């Protein structure tokens, strides 16, 4: 399983990016995507990737069934409308995100085309 952070400037782009993860990257979303505060997402992303070019307005977290490597390789093949970061278990942020994930509010408006 992998945890993924999505950052964007609109909710619509987040929803489209999650749909792209399933449709085009072939990843299987587990459960419901969650709303992540954009300042927390930006902090985690900058800790993993270094300095960010832009701050996000909207962010979400999603869990997928595939492992980190498979998720990264699949996402590289597509061009989602949001910034997508696979939070690998090798990063400290993974445990932070894992702990807070269940307490995050569900992102409304997303329906898996695979019937999850």
């Amino acid at each position: 399983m992998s945890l993924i952070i999505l950052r964007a400037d609109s909710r619509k782009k987040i929803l489209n990016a999650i749909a792209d993860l399933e449709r085009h990257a072939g990843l299987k979303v587990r459960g419901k995507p969650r709303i992540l505060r954009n300042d927390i997402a930006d902090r985690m992303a900058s800790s993993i990737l270094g300095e960010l070019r832009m701050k996000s307005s909207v962010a979400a977290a999603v869990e997928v069934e595939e492992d980190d490597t498979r998720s990264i390789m699949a996402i590289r093949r597509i061009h989602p409308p949001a910034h997508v970061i696979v939070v690998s278990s090798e990063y400290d942020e993974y445990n932070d995100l894992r702990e807070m994930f269940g307490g995050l509010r569900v992102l409304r408006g997303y329906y898996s085309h695979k019937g999850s």
Side-chain angles (χ1 to χ4, degrees):
M1 285 186 287
S2 296
L3 288 173
I4 296 174
I5 293 173
L6 298 102
R7 303 169 55 251
D9 57 13
S10 75
R11 186 172 175 275
K12 182 178 180 181
K13 287 182 180 180
I14 293 284
L15 291 170
N16 286 336
I18 297 169
D20 285 354
L21 292 179
E22 281 197 327
R23 285 190 203 115
H24 303 298
L27 301 177
K28 176 67 174 139
V29 173
R30 288 179 45 113
K32 304 274 185 193
R34 306 292 177 139
I35 298 169
L36 185 61
R37 279 186 17 209
N38 59 316
D39 60 319
I40 293 173
D42 289 350
R43 188 184 78 242
M44 288 183 169
S46 67
S47 179
I48 293 167
L49 303 171
E51 189 173 341
L52 302 173
R53 283 185 260 162
M54 295 175 50
K55 291 186 182 285
S56 62
S57 300
V58 184
V62 60
E63 186 175 39
V64 296
E65 289 186 3
E66 292 74 14
D67 65 26
D68 297 338
T69 303
R70 163 100 172 81
S71 297
I72 291 166
M73 297 310 289
I75 292 166
R76 281 185 167 175
R77 291 191 324 259
I78 66 171
H79 301 284
H83 187 199
V84 179
I85 303 111
V86 175
V87 183
S88 168
S89 57
E90 70 188 59
Y91 295 110
D92 294 336
E93 292 75 16
Y94 177 86
N95 289 327
D96 296 341
L97 187 56
R98 170 71 55 214
E99 287 175 15
M100 71 172 70
F101 190 84
L104 298 173
R105 290 184 322 179
V106 170
L107 176 67
R108 301 221 183 272
Y110 177 70
Y111 302 98
S112 172
H113 80 287
K114 293 184 179 181
S116 64

